[in-house]
Amino acid sequence: MKIGIVMGSASDWPVMKGSAEILDEFGVEYDKKVLSAHRTPHELEAWVKSARDNGFGAIIAAAGGAAHLAGVCAAFTTLPVIGVPIKAKTLDGLDSLLSMVQMPSGIPVATVSIDGAKNAALLAVEILGVTDPKLASKMTDFRTRQAEKVLASTLD
Ligand code: RP5
């Protein structure tokens, strides 16, 4: 299964490359798109509505400011939607975080930290790992390597 990475603007890509790098590391296929909930609402709707049939298992949606992109994606699909609040030009990303994380009950968005593109991809891999034992095993190896790095830390 693939992961869809959608972002509200090309200006989000420098952060969202972090998701792409993690998915590359795990060998997970993905499509990356710029689609905006307010600038291209019809195209966004069509892309999200066809996501399941197009082989996606989860969607990562990144946006800054009044960041309604992830919530709109979640409204159009029952695939899991992971939101990445982008630190935009003002308010240090708090606006994006609150817009995304405070979804009213009934339509969930799994929001990660501000600019948390890497964790979004790790969560997406874990979601696919529920039905893909090889991927789940890769995640266990990733965690082991990460722990080894921490334990090998040296301080001057
Ligand atoms: C949002 O507005 C985008 O997700 C981006 O984070 C922010 C600013 O977009 P640009 O003005 O850089 O296109 O829609």
Side-chain angles (χ1 to χ4, degrees):
M1 264 195 275
K2 293 186 292 183
I3 298 297
I5 304 176
V6 63
M7 61 209 87
S9 168
S11 67
D12 300 325
W13 178 235
V15 170
M16 293 314 297
K17 268 185 190 162
S19 285
E21 284 164 12
I22 291 287
L23 296 176
D24 283 336
E25 187 176 337
F26 279 87
V28 172
E29 215 184 312
Y30 57 89
D31 279 357
K32 51 187 194 303
K33 296 284 288 180
V34 177
L35 285 171
S36 163
H38 47 278
R39 292 168 178 155
T40 61
H42 304 296
E43 292 82 356
L44 176 68
E45 179 181 356
W47 183 79
V48 176
K49 280 183 172 172
S50 62
R52 188 183 292 277
D53 287 345
N54 286 333
F56 294 99
I59 290 173
I60 297 172
H68 38 254
L69 180 69
V72 172
C73 287
F76 285 127
T77 183
T78 53
L79 290 174
V81 174
I82 303 165
V84 182
I86 298 289
K87 182 175 171 175
K89 293 171 195 109
T90 57
L91 302 179
D92 279 339
L94 192 59
D95 47 348
S96 318
L97 174 67
L98 296 180
S99 302
M100 217 171 252
V101 79
Q102 287 293 92
M103 279 299 289
S105 171
I107 305 290
V109 169
T111 305
V112 296
S113 60
I114 296 168
D115 288 352
K118 285 183 187 284
N119 266 1
L122 289 170
L123 183 55
V125 171
E126 289 179 352
I127 289 167
L128 296 192
V130 170
T131 53
D132 183 337
K134 278 190 190 154
L135 211 45
S137 167
K138 279 188 189 177
M139 183 58 75
T140 303
D141 294 345
F142 174 89
R143 294 277 185 105
T144 302
R145 287 196 304 278
Q146 184 169 247
E148 283 169 355
K149 267 188 215 161
V150 172
L151 294 174
S153 299
T154 53
L155 304 173
D156 292 331

